[in-house]
Amino acid sequence: MIDVLLGPLTSLFEGVPAWQATALLVGISLGIAVLLEVVVLRTLLGYTSRTRTQYDYILVQELRIPVVLTAALAGVYLLTQIPSISENVLLSPEQLDTFFGKPSLSVIIVAWAFASNRVVNRFVEEIKDRGSRFDFAPVFSNVWTLIVFVGTIGVLLSLWEYSISPLLGAAGVAGIAVGFAARDTVANFFGGIALYFDDTYKLGDYIELDSGEAGTVVTVGVRSTTLMMRDEVLVTVPNAALNAAKVINQSAPQRRKRLKIPIGVAYGTDIDAFEELVLDIAREESLVLDSPKPRMRFRAFGDSALEYELLCWIPSPTRASKTRHVLNRSMYKALTAAEIEIPFPQRDINLQTATASDDDGASDSTASIGTGSEPITSERRP
C-alpha cells in the first residue's frame, strides 16, 4: 500500500536535486500542518462547540494533535523513501530510515494511540451518567486502555523489526501464572462485567446484601463496588462476591419504597375509628407520599390483640428508618389521646406457702410460683 502511494511521489522528484527535494517536502508537510491547524481544525472546533452534542467537539479536540503531527512528520518520513534524496546524502538508506524514518513513524503511532485512548475515555465520562446501562462504562474504558497499550507496543516492536513471537510465547506462560496468582482479581473483573449485563444496580441505588449490609452505591470499579452506609462509612465489596450473593435493590424499578408498620389494638376496639385515625396520621406526615395512598390491613386475630399493618410509600429507601420512627411516635401519642388501648402480654403470678409434718417429725416448706393453675414447687428439708 505504501509503495503504491510512493510511486507517483518518487517519479515527481526524479531529477530534482536532493537539497531542493528536501526543502520542498519539508515545506509542503509543514505548510499542510499549519493549514490544518489554523484553518481546518480551528474552524471545526468553533463549529462543534456550538452543536447540541459534545461528542463531535471531543473528537476534533483530541484528534487535533495527531493530525498536525502526522502532516508535519510525513515529510520527514518521505525523505527516507525517495531514492533521489537517500542516494545523495552521507547516511546510507538503512541509517536514514533508522534515524529519521522509523522515529517519525513511531511518534505518529504513539500520538494516534494516545488520542484514541483519550477519545474513548472522554466519551465514557460523557455517557456514564446518562442511564443505568452506562454505569459500568469505566470498566470498558480500562479495558480499552489496556488494549491500546498492548497494541501500540506490538506495532512499535514490529516497526523496529523486533520479533514478537518469543514475546507471545512468554506472554502466554506469564498469563497462566498471573491467572493463578491473581485469580481473585480476574474473578472480580468478570464479576463486574456480569453485573453490568445483568443490570443489577447503578450508581445511587440503595442495595441490601444477603449478609445484612445495606448502603448506597457510590463507586463501581473494575475490581469492587463501594457502598456508603447509613453511618457514612464506606464499605468496599468485591464484584465477585456481589455476583455470587443475593442482592436486593431497593431503588429499582422505582426509587420509592413501601413501608410496612405493624400495630396491634385490643379486642373490642372500634376498628373503623382506629383505622381512620392511623390513616390521618400517615396522610399528614410529610415523609409519606400522597400517591399511592396509605392504607390499613387487618392481618390476623392475635393472642392478645387485633394485628394490623400500616402500608405507606416513601420517596427513598434511605428514609425508611426515620419515617418508621416518626409514625410510631405519632401513632402512640394519638392512640393514647383517643384512649385506644395498645395491648401487651401480661402474666399473673400466684405465691402459695404451706407447711406439713411427716411421720419422722420433719417439716416441709413448699413455695409455688406459677401462672394460672400450674404452680412451680420447690422443696426444702432441714
Side-chain angles (χ1 to χ4, degrees):
M1 182 67 180
I2 296 179
D3 294 337
V4 174
L5 296 175
L6 290 177
L9 188 62
T10 302
S11 60
L12 181 63
F13 286 94
E14 288 182 357
V16 179
W19 68 271
Q20 293 181 0
T22 301
L24 186 59
L25 273 176
V26 173
I28 291 176
S29 61
L30 291 178
I32 293 176
V34 172
L35 181 65
L36 288 173
E37 167 65 20
V38 175
V39 179
V40 179
L41 294 176
R42 290 189 181 181
T43 303
L44 286 176
L45 281 175
Y47 173 76
T48 55
S49 63
R50 296 189 298 270
T51 57
R52 302 176 62 179
T53 179
Q54 288 292 317
Y55 301 119
D56 50 358
Y57 178 77
I58 293 174
L59 188 64
V60 175
Q61 188 179 41
E62 295 299 334
L63 295 184
R64 180 179 181 180
I65 293 178
V67 167
V68 174
L69 275 178
T70 301
L73 295 177
V76 178
Y77 174 74
L78 292 175
L79 290 175
T80 65
Q81 305 299 317
I82 298 177
S84 61
I85 298 177
S86 60
E87 294 173 357
N88 292 280
V89 294
L90 297 177
L91 299 176
S92 65
E94 290 77 13
Q95 292 175 331
L96 198 63
D97 187 50
T98 301
F99 291 112
F100 294 97
K102 291 178 180 178
S104 60
L105 282 182
S106 299
V107 173
I108 293 174
I109 291 171
V110 171
W112 279 99
F114 183 80
S116 63
N117 185 57
R118 287 275 301 171
V119 167
V120 173
N121 289 339
R122 292 189 62 181
F123 279 0
V124 168
E125 291 294 325
E126 286 291 321
I127 69 174
K128 70 177 184 180
D129 298 328
R130 298 195 175 189
S132 60
R133 297 299 299 173
F134 301 104
D135 289 335
F136 279 84
V139 175
F140 296 99
S141 175
N142 295 329
V143 173
W144 173 252
T145 300
L146 180 62
I147 292 174
V148 170
F149 176 77
V150 174
T152 303
I153 295 298
V155 172
L156 290 176
L157 290 175
S158 177
L159 174 64
W160 288 89
E161 299 178 357
Y162 286 98
S163 178
I164 62 174
S165 299
L167 295 178
L168 293 177
V173 176
I176 296 174
V178 171
F180 280 107
R183 57 184 180 273
D184 292 338
T185 302
V186 175
N188 291 330
F189 172 74
F190 286 104
I193 295 178
L195 289 172
Y196 167 74
F197 285 108
D198 290 342
D199 198 16
T200 306
Y201 53 81
K202 62 181 182 296
L203 292 177
D205 282 355
Y206 189 82
I207 65 174
E208 182 178 351
L209 308 182
D210 53 4
S211 60
E213 297 169 316
T216 304
V217 180
V218 295
T219 303
V220 179
V222 177
R223 189 191 67 84
S224 61
T225 297
T226 303
L227 305 180
M228 173 70 78
M229 315 305 286
R230 292 300 308 276
D231 51 1
E232 296 187 355
V233 175
L234 293 178
V235 175
T236 301
V237 185
N239 288 333
L242 285 173
N243 194 44
K246 182 178 73 173
V247 179
I248 302 174
N249 190 344
Q250 298 189 7
S251 298
Q254 298 179 353
R255 297 200 61 83
R256 67 186 186 187
K257 173 183 173 62
R258 190 170 75 164
L259 199 62
K260 300 178 182 179
I261 302 180
I263 183 173
V265 292
Y267 281 89
T269 301
D270 184 352
I271 59 175
D272 293 329
F274 163 70
E275 292 178 3
E276 188 61 30
L277 177 62
V278 174
L279 288 176
D280 287 342
I281 294 173
R283 296 189 193 102
E284 293 174 1
E285 177 53 49
S286 59
L287 294 173
V288 177
L289 296 177
D290 296 331
S291 179
K293 296 180 179 180
R295 62 196 68 183
M296 292 289 289
R297 288 293 181 264
F298 190 168
R299 295 304 187 192
F301 294 93
D303 293 338
S304 58
L306 304 176
E307 297 179 358
Y308 269 86
E309 205 170 45
L310 170 63
L311 305 179
C312 58
W313 292 85
I314 55 178
S316 171
T318 58
R319 300 186 179 183
S321 298
K322 181 178 180 180
T323 306
R324 191 184 302 275
H325 164 75
V326 172
L327 289 177
N328 280 334
R329 283 175 52 88
S330 300
M331 287 190 296
Y332 179 77
K333 292 181 179 180
L335 293 177
T336 302
E339 298 183 350
I340 297 177
E341 181 183 355
I342 304 176
F344 54 90
Q346 300 183 36
R347 295 291 182 267
D348 295 331
I349 300 177
N350 300 320
L351 301 178
Q352 299 177 355
T353 60
T355 59
S357 298
D358 55 14
D359 296 337
D360 297 332
S363 62
D364 296 336
S365 177
T366 304
S368 65
I369 303 176
T371 59
S373 60
E374 297 181 355
I376 301 174
T377 62
S378 64
E379 185 177 76
R380 183 180 64 187
R381 294 181 180 275

